[in-house]
Amino acid sequence: FPECKNGYDYDRTWYKETIPSYEDWVCEKDLYMTNTFVVSRILELIGAFVLGQLGDSHGRQKVFFFSVVATSLGRILSIMLTSNFLWFAIGVGISG
């Protein structure tokens, strides 16, 4: 990564700080954001099938409230654990 030899200069035009800039997900960690997107799309796809079937068998209202709670917990998990990429990706995936 020749562009990272002397550090990396972030574009702060729109945001002062983002998770990739805060955790320094550049250079050798540049695939972290792509992997986060892939994990979230895969878990979203699995969740659509699983929650759809559960909604048909156990009632849509119960499954809806479960999904709201799971989304909220996933967001909280991803916000609190940005320093651990695996848990961050799982949290983002849960929150869909």
Side-chain angles (χ1 to χ4, degrees):
F1 300 104
E3 68 273 4
C4 296
K5 187 175 184 179
N6 298 319
Y8 190 84
D9 186 30
Y10 293 98
D11 180 12
R12 301 194 189 276
T13 304
W14 299 102
Y15 301 102
K16 180 180 175 186
E17 192 163 55
T18 61
I19 292 173
S21 66
Y22 181 75
E23 294 297 330
D24 208 25
W25 288 351
V26 292
C27 303
E28 67 274 352
K29 297 179 181 179
D30 65 341
L31 287 178
Y32 278 24
M33 288 311 298
T34 303
N35 292 340
T36 301
F37 178 76
V38 169
V39 167
S40 68
R41 296 300 84 122
I42 289 171
L43 290 177
E44 190 176 294
L45 181 66
I46 292 169
F49 285 114
V50 170
L51 293 176
Q53 292 298 317
L54 286 174
D56 289 341
S57 63
H58 294 292
R60 292 191 176 128
Q61 187 177 18
K62 291 177 187 176
V63 173
F64 171 74
F65 287 121
F66 170 77
S67 66
V68 169
V69 169
T71 299
S72 300
L73 291 175
R75 296 282 174 165
I76 292 169
L77 183 70
S78 65
I79 290 169
M80 294 178 67
L81 297 174
T82 57
S83 61
N84 186 322
F85 174 71
L86 176 64
W87 286 107
F88 172 78
I90 290 170
V92 169
I94 290 171
S95 63

